[in-house]
């Protein structure tokens, strides 16, 4: 991010943007006597450094908002990003007299300065908002604090050429938010957009590195972390947790008949199918070449038996299209259920044992119940 940030700062300096520390301070230019404009203030350089070095989305947003809020008296600085439906704004940070109750809220943008800024992609400054001549609100009509605002300035937060949020500065003064406010906001919003993009790219790279290259599923280490985290709900609320090991029995046959590309296609299709059956509350991973593991919190023994049976039946009726034909995968399922947090670490091993035993029964699934004593467990033999 160093190169684009430097380019942005140089462009901002060359264009004669605000040299002041922030929107509420005086312009850093000298009097019009033929002298050169004053250089960028130390405050701006500190902003560049703090935003560029931010390690998280919240850190970048807070650094920007705090810098702007500290640049003038009674300023309120609000940072919001578009929600997933792009029709409303999620407020991530709001500092100042009008900030109360905003953070964490979702606001409708219709008829607001914030909404216009995002939709147009342009910065704006409005004053005289309390005189009654401008029936427009700053953040949202549903925000009660906005009626106490006398003036405001706003700049869009842009990522890859698209407005994804807004940086809003409000002041009780009817005269405006300060000399050079728009130029300073453009700098701050530009830096914030670059920093957010860098953070999102880094998180995306990290997420890709922590996933199986074939199926896109999390690695077993992350899966087991999820399993261990469920022990808190088991301990606090006595909730059951179930873990299943599913092996694709037909993988070797597919590799022999259709090649490894056919086997990879089978594994990818099976991973996708298991994810749909497990649901959003579950965790799923690829344990080995032909084995998958699923952890479902809150699932008791009866539900686990029904789920294991449904997996076998679903795969029996499933058809995977390959380049050289179609195949129907055959699976074996082993499960383990417990309501004891002390047995969490044993779930995967017991589910694997149940899966081995399931090969000897016609239904091709078995579920083990792990008791709190840790000395024995029951196996449901269908």
């Amino acid at each position: 991010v160093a190169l684009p940030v430097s380019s942005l700062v140089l462009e901002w300096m060359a264009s004669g943007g605000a040299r002041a520390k922030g929107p509420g301070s005086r312009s850093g230019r000298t009097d019009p006597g033929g002298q050169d404009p004053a250089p960028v203030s130390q405050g701006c350089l500190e902003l560049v450094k703090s935003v560029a070095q931010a390690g998280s989305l919240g850190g970048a947003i807070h650094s920007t908002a705090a810098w702007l809020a500290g640049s003038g008296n009674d300023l309120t600085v609000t940072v919001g990003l578009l929600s997933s439906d792009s029709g409303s704004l999620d407020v991530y940070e709001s500092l100042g007299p009008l900030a109360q109750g905003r953070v964490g809220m979702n606001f409708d943008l219709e008829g607001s300065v914030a909404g216009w800024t995002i939709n147009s992609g342009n910065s704006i400054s409005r004053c005289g908002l309390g005189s009654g001549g401008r029936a427009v609100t700053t953040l949202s009509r549903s925000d009660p604090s906005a009626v106490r605002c006398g003036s405001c300035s706003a700049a869009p937060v842009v990522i890859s050429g698209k407005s994804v949020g807004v940086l809003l500065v409000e002041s009780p003064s009817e005269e405006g938010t300060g000399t050079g406010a728009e130029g300073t906001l453009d700098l701050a919003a530009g830096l914030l957009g670059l920093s957010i993009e860098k953070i999102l790219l880094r998180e995306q790279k990290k997420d890709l590195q922590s996933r199986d290259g074939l199926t896109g599923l999390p690695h077993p280490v992350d899966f087991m972390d999820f399993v261990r985290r469920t022990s808190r709900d088991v301990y606090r609320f006595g909730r059951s947790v179930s873990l299943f090991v599913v092996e694709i029995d037909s993988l070797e046959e597919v590799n022999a008949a259709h090649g490894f590309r056919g086997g990879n296609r089978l594994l990818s299709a099976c991973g996708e199918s298991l994810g749909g059956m497990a649901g959003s509350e579950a965790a799923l991973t690829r344990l080995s070449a032909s084995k998958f593991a699923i952890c479902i919190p809150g699932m008791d023994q009866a539900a686990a038996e029904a789920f294991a049976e449904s997996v076998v039946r679903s795969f029996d009726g499933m058809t995977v299209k390959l380049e050289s034909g179609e195949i129907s995968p055959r699976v074996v399922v082993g499960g383990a259920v417990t309501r004891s947090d002390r047995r969490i670490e044993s779930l995967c091993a017991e589910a694997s044992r149940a899966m081995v035993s399931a090969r000897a029964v016609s239904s091709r699934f078995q579920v083990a119940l792990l008791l709190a004593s840790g000395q024995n467990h029951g196996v449901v033999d269908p």
Side-chain angles (χ1 to χ4, degrees):
V1 77
L3 181 59
V5 167
S6 301
S7 301
L8 178 65
V9 174
L10 291 173
E11 180 182 353
W12 172 73
M13 293 170 61
S15 64
R19 267 72 177 180
K21 180 181 179 182
S25 57
R26 295 182 179 180
S27 172
R29 290 181 179 274
T30 59
D31 57 0
Q35 299 181 14
D36 292 333
V40 179
S41 71
Q42 183 63 31
C44 289
L45 296 178
E46 291 174 358
L47 173 65
V48 172
K49 182 178 179 180
S50 62
V51 173
Q53 292 180 344
S56 66
L57 178 65
I61 290 175
H62 178 75
S63 295
T64 305
W67 180 79
L68 289 169
S71 63
N73 294 328
D74 297 327
L75 293 180
T76 297
V77 180
T78 300
V79 182
L81 300 178
L82 287 174
S83 59
S84 56
D85 60 6
S86 299
S88 57
L89 192 74
D90 293 324
V91 175
Y92 283 74
E93 186 76 272
S94 191
L95 304 173
L98 306 181
Q100 185 174 3
R102 285 183 174 180
V103 177
M105 295 295 292
N106 178 269
F107 291 102
D108 181 17
L109 292 171
E110 184 178 357
S112 68
V113 170
W116 184 90
T117 301
I118 293 175
N119 292 330
S120 68
N122 296 317
S123 301
I124 186 175
S125 288
R126 302 292 294 269
C127 58
L129 298 180
S131 64
R134 302 193 178 208
V136 100
T137 188
T138 55
L139 181 62
S140 173
R141 292 173 180 173
S142 58
D143 174 39
S145 299
V147 298
R148 303 187 345 242
C149 179
S151 60
C152 71
S153 295
V157 177
V158 179
I159 296 179
S160 300
K162 182 179 179 181
S163 297
V164 299
V166 67
L167 187 54
L168 174 69
V169 176
E170 300 161 285
S171 171
S173 171
E174 296 284 328
E175 302 300 322
T177 53
T179 306
E182 285 192 45
T184 306
L185 277 179
D186 284 340
L187 169 67
L191 289 172
L192 180 59
L194 286 170
S195 182
I196 291 175
E197 189 166 15
K198 178 194 72 171
I199 291 168
L200 293 178
L201 287 172
R202 186 171 62 222
E203 291 179 351
Q204 184 181 28
K205 180 180 178 181
K206 182 179 178 181
D207 183 62
L208 289 174
Q209 290 175 338
S210 65
R211 290 182 176 272
D212 177 62
L214 179 61
T215 62
L217 297 174
H219 285 319
V221 173
D222 296 322
F223 174 81
M224 291 308 299
D225 285 342
F226 175 89
V227 175
R228 294 184 187 99
R229 288 197 300 272
T230 62
S231 64
R232 288 177 290 187
D233 283 348
V234 174
Y235 176 76
R236 293 174 184 173
F237 310 113
R239 295 180 69 192
S240 297
V241 58
S242 296
L243 192 147
F244 304 88
V245 173
V246 181
E247 182 163 23
I248 313 300
D249 253 8
S250 50
L251 180 61
E252 291 187 6
E253 299 173 9
V254 172
N255 285 336
H258 303 275
F260 286 102
R261 292 183 63 180
N264 289 345
R265 175 71 187 98
L266 172 63
L267 288 171
S268 180
C270 289
E272 183 177 354
S273 181
L274 286 172
M277 286 186 275
S280 59
E281 298 296 323
L284 175 64
T285 189
R286 183 182 172 203
L287 278 180
S288 63
S290 60
K291 293 180 183 177
F292 294 85
I294 309 168
C295 179
I296 307 180
M299 179 175 281
D300 60 18
Q301 183 180 4
E305 295 166 18
F307 178 79
E309 183 178 12
S310 69
V311 170
V312 173
R313 290 183 176 179
S314 294
F315 275 90
D316 285 346
M318 177 179 172
T319 300
V320 180
K321 293 183 179 180
L322 305 178
E323 294 179 358
S324 53
E326 295 182 348
I327 58 170
S328 295
R330 184 178 67 254
V331 301
V332 178
V333 181
V337 185
T338 188
R339 294 184 63 179
S340 170
D341 60 303
R342 288 177 292 175
R343 302 308 310 274
I344 291 293
E345 296 288 345
S346 304
L347 280 174
C348 192
E350 295 296 344
S352 296
R353 292 190 183 97
M355 184 202 68
V356 173
S357 300
R359 297 185 184 281
V361 297
S362 59
S363 61
R364 287 181 280 130
F365 74 89
Q366 279 194 354
V367 177
L369 176 63
L370 308 190
L371 304 179
S373 65
Q375 297 177 349
N376 51 59
H377 62 276
V379 176
V380 177
D381 187 347

